[in-house]
Amino acid sequence: MEAFVVHILAADRTFYEGPCESLTIPTSDGEQGILAHHSSMIAAVQPGTLRYRVPGQPVQLAAVSPGMVKVEANEVLVLVDSAERPEEIDAARARREADEAREALLQRKSRQEYQLAQATLARALNRLRVKARSIQ
């Protein structure tokens, strides 16, 4: 399978840069699959599971938060707030964050606090999903 260059950048670090045979990314329109010579596009990345295959290796998983993806000239740029490999995810901490976010959602707070709690819950649940998939 032909490879393309991918740059997966989180706000605090370079998650992965190098050759890639396939990339599946959660977007606002559903999961978007990208292969070599994909047509140019820009899309919003949603919290979810990013999957990518480095030549000669099995598919890698990552929990990603919101951001954007740009495909142009056989090169892909993924910019997200955070990207974590399953082994980097602390499941106990993610469960605590999810529980705290659920509690915050039950309390009648401002619209901004409610939206923040929703985002925190979505991120925590996504991290737990990615962690669980890697164990299977």
Side-chain angles (χ1 to χ4, degrees):
M1 182 175 277
E2 194 171 341
F4 56 94
V5 177
V6 69
H7 308 272
I8 304 171
L9 308 175
D12 62 341
R13 67 183 172 142
T14 299
F15 180 80
Y16 174 76
E17 286 189 301
C20 185
E21 291 181 340
S22 66
L23 174 70
T24 304
I25 191 154
T27 70
S28 52
D29 294 329
E31 286 195 339
Q32 180 72 45
I34 298 169
L35 298 172
H37 307 293
H38 192 284
S39 59
S40 295
M41 67 170 243
I42 295 177
V45 174
Q46 299 296 310
T49 304
L50 178 143
R51 292 184 297 281
Y52 63 102
R53 182 185 300 275
V54 174
Q57 294 186 21
V59 172
Q60 307 288 310
L61 300 178
V64 294
S65 61
M68 58 89 54
V69 58
K70 179 180 113 178
V71 180
E72 186 176 51
N74 214 33
E75 203 162 320
V76 179
L77 173 63
V78 179
L79 299 172
V80 290
D81 291 335
S82 67
E84 297 175 280
R85 292 174 177 85
E87 61 271 15
E88 297 170 337
I89 297 171
D90 179 343
R93 188 176 121 219
R95 277 192 286 280
R96 277 193 311 276
E97 289 172 353
D99 291 343
E100 290 168 8
R102 283 187 188 102
E103 182 61 35
L105 287 171
L106 293 175
Q107 299 173 8
R108 298 288 177 196
K109 295 192 175 199
S110 74
R111 184 175 192 79
Q112 184 177 6
E113 290 171 319
Y114 183 82
Q115 289 173 335
L116 179 62
Q118 281 183 314
T120 301
L121 178 59
R123 180 173 184 256
L125 293 175
N126 181 54
R127 293 173 75 225
L128 289 169
R129 264 192 308 276
V130 170
K131 183 76 171 176
R133 282 183 186 163
S134 72
I135 295 171
Q136 296 173 350

